[in-house]
Amino acid sequence: MYDVARPSPGNALEETGVLPVLFTGDGPAGAPPHRATARTGPDYPAIQASPEFVSLRRRFRGFVFPMSFAFFAWYMTYVLLAAYAHDFMSRKVVGQVNVGIVLGIGQFASTALVTWLYLRYARRRLDPRVAELRARAGLPDGPRR
């Protein structure tokens, strides 16, 4: 009878008798102890705690959260109208074009509009501050878009 408590052949636990240790600083037996190395790059925790970075995140969230909420509300309104307001959505606007088609095309248009607004906002309000933070941290300029 098969014993479910016994590991199958080829399992690391069966071969070595111990589970592999993945996330400790200890090296293999006999290896020299792990030494802390001097930090050569920017101090990212200090950058993240700086008032400039906090202000940058606040600006980012001040645009993204309201815009995301507004777009989600607009999208859900469209979905709910399509699901429950059949008479309204099937009302003809011009020829064979009805309200549902117009609002559906409006979804695509509003997606493009939100993208354009974010790019414009980022170029004017976020990117200059990011460049200042990068320069202050000694990082090279990021790739231009």
Side-chain angles (χ1 to χ4, degrees), residues 3 6 23 30 41 53 78 87 101 137:
D3 185 5
R6 182 178 167 95
F23 298 108
F53 186 81
Y78 174 72
D87 292 338
I101 291 174

Side-chain angles (χ1 to χ4, degrees), residues 74-75 77-83 85-94 96-108:
W74 155 236
Y75 174 73
T77 300
Y78 174 72
V79 169
L80 292 173
L81 286 172
H86 298 284
D87 292 338
F88 173 71
M89 295 293 272
S90 63
R91 193 172 294 156
K92 302 286 184 198
V93 177
V94 175
Q96 294 296 319
V97 178
N98 60 24
V99 173
I101 291 174
V102 171
L103 292 179
I105 291 171
Q107 289 289 314
F108 288 101

Side-chain angles (χ1 to χ4, degrees), residues 37-55:
T37 58
R39 188 178 285 237
T40 59
D43 185 9
Y44 289 111
I47 293 170
Q48 189 175 9
S50 71
E52 295 87 5
F53 186 81
V54 171
S55 171

Side-chain angles (χ1 to χ4, degrees), residues 2-27:
Y2 179 73
D3 185 5
V4 294
R6 182 178 167 95
S8 63
N11 186 328
L13 177 61
E14 186 173 304
E15 292 173 5
T16 62
V18 294
L19 286 173
V21 179
L22 299 176
F23 298 108
T24 66
D26 301 337

Side-chain angles (χ1 to χ4, degrees), residues 58-80:
R58 189 177 304 118
R59 277 183 179 259
F60 173 76
R61 289 180 183 137
F63 179 86
V64 169
F65 288 149
M67 186 62 72
S68 297
F69 177 77
F71 185 79
F72 183 71
W74 155 236
Y75 174 73
M76 287 309 298
T77 300
Y78 174 72
V79 169
L80 292 173

